[in-house]
Amino acid sequence: VDLNAALTDYARTAKRPGLCLIVSDLFAPGGIIGGLNALIGKGYEVGVVHLLSPDEITPPLAGDLRLIDAETGAAKEVTIDGALRDLYIRRVQAWQADLRAECRKRGAHYLSVTTDSAWERVIMTDLRRLGLVR
């Protein structure tokens, strides 16, 4: 999915701005910044719920593996040791920090959530704390 194009198209065609919650893993090749700019430029209040599985944040993998992209089917042979796993974890954390900073810079809200989180807590506590739900 071209997330930027989808968000830009939504901002362009929607009748009037309001609250826009984006729930995604944000694994979009083109990123999300263009779409955020389009929504915010049209007056939307934007909340980005960055949804990842616990294994995507801290993978329990080690050794020689064949990883298959669930969306494209592309396969990659890799060898994962402790140093590579640590590098991966640091890069995911840096990616989340960059997204949080880009959202903050634009006045959008950012929330990192794992798939094992209770949605009741996410909606009633986390989104409420951000001021996105009352």
Side-chain angles (χ1 to χ4, degrees):
V1 171
D2 184 343
L3 193 52
N4 272 325
L7 296 174
T8 300
D9 185 55
Y10 183 80
R12 183 179 46 79
T13 59
K15 300 293 184 218
R16 60 181 195 188
L19 174 63
C20 180
L21 285 177
I22 301 163
V23 180
S24 173
D25 61 12
L26 302 179
F27 289 125
I32 189 175
I33 302 305
L36 282 179
N37 289 340
L39 289 166
I40 292 166
K42 289 286 188 166
Y44 283 89
E45 180 175 7
V46 178
V48 176
V49 179
H50 192 187
L51 184 63
L52 297 173
S53 75
D55 289 348
E56 289 171 321
I57 295 172
T58 309
L61 306 174
D64 296 328
L65 304 167
R66 181 174 188 188
L67 302 178
I68 300 173
D69 186 309
E71 294 177 8
T72 67
K76 180 81 172 173
E77 304 285 335
V78 297
T79 299
I80 299 177
D81 61 9
L84 184 60
R85 184 176 175 273
D86 291 344
L87 175 62
Y88 171 87
I89 291 168
R90 285 192 309 272
R91 286 188 175 174
V92 168
Q93 290 170 345
W95 177 44
Q96 290 174 309
D98 288 347
L99 287 166
R100 183 177 293 107
E102 290 296 330
C103 286
R104 184 178 302 125
K105 190 184 321 181
R106 288 163 175 77
H109 305 276
Y110 175 88
L111 178 63
S112 178
V113 175
T114 56
T115 55
D116 61 352
S117 298
W119 279 104
E120 296 83 9
R121 181 189 55 78
V122 171
I123 294 167
M124 300 305 292
T125 303
D126 299 334
L127 294 179
R128 182 173 281 161
R129 179 178 39 82
L130 292 175
L132 292 171
V133 296
R134 291 169 177 70

